[in-house]
């Protein structure tokens, strides 16, 4: 801590420091602080996993609708085990690990919401909104919990489980669990990524049919 009592001589000496040198000292101090937050020793992953909707609206397609008829697709909640950019691996009923070299480009809940919204939109039965403040004005809202999106080691399966909750414009609620498994998947990041994309799209298609 700097001594609050300073001699006049010390004060005049500090004032004599050129402004350019003071700025240099500030820059060096800032760089020292940043070096404690950024690690340059760790190599970035060779590839990142993502989810890609298998059902899409055509480029240039024009969709119109009123907010009174809109369906808002909200980002689902998740447990802490899915609130990371990693792929969880269930080894036993009480043990959890993360798949080596497997990293999502974004957190699973956000990726799944995008696939779900695009799949419902491509079905053409609903006017879908899934971003910005307008989602809160839509009278019909689809939300829920992404329970599982990971790899089951004992069975060699990629698993996606979604507990959907649909609230209509009267405030009535409907809930249903949707699950899809892809078996025979090697515990390798590319294989698991492709299988989870397949499972997520299958769940999204089932949810789209459910909401009508």
């Amino acid at each position: 801590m700097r001594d609050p009592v300073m001699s006049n001589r010390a004060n005049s000496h500090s004032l004599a420091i050129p402004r350019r040198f003071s700025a240099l000292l500030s820059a060096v101090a800032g760089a020292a602080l940043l070096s404690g937050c950024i690690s340059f020793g760790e190599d970035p992953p060779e590839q990142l996993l993502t989810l890609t909707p298998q059902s899409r609206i055509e480029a240039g397609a024009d969709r119109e609708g009123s907010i009174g008829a809109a369906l808002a697709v909200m980002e689902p909640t998740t447990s802490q085990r899915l609130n990371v950019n990693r792929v969880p691996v269930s080894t036993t009923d009480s043990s959890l690990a993360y798949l080596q070299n497997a990293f999502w480009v974004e957190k699973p809940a956000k990726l799944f919401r995008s696939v779900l919204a695009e799949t419902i939109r491509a079905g053409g039965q609903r006017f879908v909104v899934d971003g910005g403040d307008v989602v809160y004005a839509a009278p019909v809202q689809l939300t829920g919990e992404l329970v599982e999106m990971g790899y089951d080691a004992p069975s060699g399966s990629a698993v996606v489980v979604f507990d959907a909750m649909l609230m209509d414009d009267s405030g009535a609620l409907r809930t249903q669990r949707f699950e899809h498994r892809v078996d025979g998947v090697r515990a390798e990041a590319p294989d698991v990524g492709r299988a989870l994309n397949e499972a997520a799209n299958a769940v999204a298609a089932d949810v789209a049919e459910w909401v009508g």
Side-chain angles (χ1 to χ4, degrees):
M1 183 175 178
R2 189 175 180 180
D3 189 351
V5 180
M6 301 179 64
S7 67
N8 291 333
R9 181 178 180 181
N11 279 331
S12 71
H13 177 71
S14 66
L15 290 173
I17 298 176
R19 291 184 178 180
R20 183 179 301 176
F21 184 63
S22 297
L24 177 61
L25 288 177
S26 298
V28 171
L33 289 173
L34 283 174
S35 67
C37 302
I38 301 175
S39 174
F40 295 97
E42 298 180 1
D43 294 330
E46 293 183 1
Q47 59 182 349
L48 296 173
L49 304 177
T50 191
L51 297 180
T52 304
Q54 295 174 351
S55 299
R56 294 175 175 270
I57 59 173
E58 296 180 0
D62 188 15
R63 297 292 175 89
E64 295 183 359
S66 67
I67 191 62
L71 166 67
V73 179
M74 314 296 285
E75 184 173 316
T77 61
T78 62
S79 63
Q80 188 57 39
R81 65 193 292 274
L82 286 178
N83 193 31
V84 293
N85 291 58
R86 303 295 304 275
V87 176
V89 176
S90 299
T91 54
T92 67
D93 290 340
S94 59
S95 300
L96 174 70
Y98 287 98
L99 189 64
Q100 187 176 7
N101 299 324
F103 298 87
W104 293 113
V105 68
E106 292 182 288
K107 290 184 179 180
K110 188 170 184 178
L111 293 173
F112 181 73
R113 194 270 294 270
S114 296
V115 169
L116 186 57
E118 184 68 9
T119 302
I120 298 172
R121 187 181 289 117
Q125 303 300 313
R126 292 277 192 170
F127 177 59
V128 177
V129 293
D130 65 330
D133 293 338
V134 70
V135 297
Y136 301 104
V140 182
Q141 298 195 352
L142 175 62
T143 182
E145 180 183 1
L146 184 60
V147 179
E148 182 62 82
M149 195 162 82
Y151 182 72
D152 182 62
S155 64
S157 304
V159 185
V160 174
V161 181
F162 177 54
D163 281 346
M165 183 170 67
L166 184 68
M167 184 183 72
D168 66 20
D169 53 4
S170 70
L173 295 176
R174 283 197 298 151
T175 62
Q176 185 167 324
R177 169 165 289 193
F178 297 88
E179 178 175 349
H180 191 83
R181 305 173 70 93
V182 178
D183 299 325
V185 182
R186 296 188 307 165
E188 301 290 339
D191 296 340
V192 173
R194 284 190 292 269
L196 286 175
N197 189 63
E198 178 183 338
N201 273 275
V203 168
D206 290 342
V207 175
E209 183 177 352
W210 179 65
V211 300

